[in-house]
Amino acid sequence: EDKVVQSPLSLVVHEGDTVTLNCSYEVTNFRSLLWYKQEKKAPTFLFMLTSSGIEKKSGRLSSILDKKELFSILNITATQTGDSAIYLCAVDSGNTGKLIFGQGTTLQVKP
Amino acid sequence: DGGITQSPKYLFRKEGQNVTLSCEQNLNHDAMYWYRQDPGQGLRLIYYSQIVNDFQKGDIAEGYSVSREKKESFPLTVTSAQKNPTAFYLCASSNRDRGRDYGYTFGSGTRLTVV
């Protein structure tokens, strides 16, 4: 059975801290891994990763994929209160376009 | 602006009633999806449709039904057979462009509460 597991499930840090969120997966036909940020309602797209070892960056956020070990990490440096959200990891498996989501990591950044 | 519109944002249902959640997109996306989100459980797939007049069950389809009569619309009906319908429901759509995937575009969700 395909599955995606995120850790930790929740995290509380202070502004300025650096955080690392983890995502491991087991899927039969991997196409890509995606990270989303969900603040109130609709998740917003952060990164799509398809190749191992190539870091993607957007400001203070970065992510990398390891297809051999079947995991990805999302790093956030110099965290701000606006980074508080649920971070979702999802894997696109097969030709159907279905995304398999992890449980999400709830990040709270305190001032 | 292109996007996905879900309505209503909040919905209250009495036990035993069927309710229908609306999802409309003007992105010209072929595929549409319905997910349910409960606290601590991430997103779970209810139904999805890759083309008009065709749809497939996801992981938790029991107690739900859908239709895809138009490319733009993918309504979800929560039937009385769904024993625990209180949740946040997200609709999404996607398209694939010649070897490039753009992931999903999500609607803003509908929060359904059974009273």
Side-chain angles (χ1 to χ4, degrees):
Chain A
E1 181 183 343
D2 294 343
K3 64 179 180 180
V4 177
V5 177
Q6 292 185 244
S7 65
L9 294 182
S10 65
L11 191 57
V12 181
V13 301
H14 288 92
E15 275 191 315
D17 289 349
T18 293
V19 297
T20 298
L21 309 184
N22 303 295
C23 176
S24 64
Y25 62 91
E26 294 179 30
V27 297
T28 53
N29 190 9
F30 177 89
R31 286 177 58 97
S32 61
L33 184 145
L34 299 94
W35 285 97
Y36 289 88
K37 178 182 181 182
Q38 185 180 25
E39 293 181 78
K40 294 288 185 184
K41 295 183 178 177
T44 54
F45 174 80
L46 294 176
F47 298 111
M48 176 184 288
L49 304 160
T50 56
S51 301
S52 270
I54 299 175
E55 185 182 50
K56 293 209 171 182
K57 293 196 72 170
S58 176
R60 297 176 292 103
L61 276 67
S62 64
S63 184
I64 197 163
L65 174 68
D66 185 328
K67 292 170 73 173
K68 182 180 177 183
E69 300 297 330
L70 308 182
F71 78 88
S72 173
I73 59 172
L74 174 68
N75 277 321
I76 308 175
T77 60
T79 53
Q80 302 171 357
T81 55
D83 295 326
S84 296
I86 299 172
Y87 290 85
L88 297 166
C89 173
V91 173
D92 183 347
S93 170
N95 297 320
T96 63
K98 291 191 301 180
L99 290 185
I100 302 164
F101 283 85
Q103 318 94 305
T105 294
T106 300
L107 173 65
Q108 182 183 359
V109 181
K110 293 187 173 182
Chain B
D1 286 337
I4 297 183
T5 301
Q6 288 187 244
S7 61
K9 293 190 185 314
Y10 299 95
L11 187 58
F12 296 90
R13 189 194 93 172
K14 292 183 179 180
E15 285 192 25
Q17 284 183 335
N18 293 355
V19 291
T20 297
L21 283 57
S22 171
C23 179
E24 303 277 335
Q25 55 101 356
N26 60 4
L27 300 164
N28 200 33
H29 283 176
D30 295 311
M32 297 186 74
Y33 311 83
W34 274 105
Y35 284 88
R36 170 181 171 141
Q37 187 175 29
D38 296 283
Q41 295 195 47
L43 273 63
R44 292 183 291 167
L45 182 64
I46 305 172
Y47 269 98
Y48 64 103
S49 168
Q50 293 182 283
I51 57 172
V52 175
N53 292 322
D54 188 42
F55 49 83
Q56 287 78 39
K57 292 182 178 180
D59 301 318
I60 54 167
E62 185 175 351
Y64 301 98
S65 65
V66 294
S67 63
R68 187 87 186 277
E69 297 176 1
K70 299 186 301 182
K71 188 175 186 178
E72 302 79 18
S73 179
F74 192 41
L76 174 73
T77 296
V78 184
T79 75
S80 57
Q82 171 48 238
K83 297 305 178 188
N84 185 23
T86 295
F88 187 57
Y89 291 87
L90 280 164
C91 179
S93 69
S94 71
N95 210 0
R96 297 182 187 272
D97 183 79
R98 292 194 181 187
R100 297 174 61 188
D101 296 338
Y102 295 98
Y104 282 11
T105 300
F106 284 91
S108 295
T110 293
R111 188 166 298 280
L112 173 63
T113 304
V114 174
V115 296

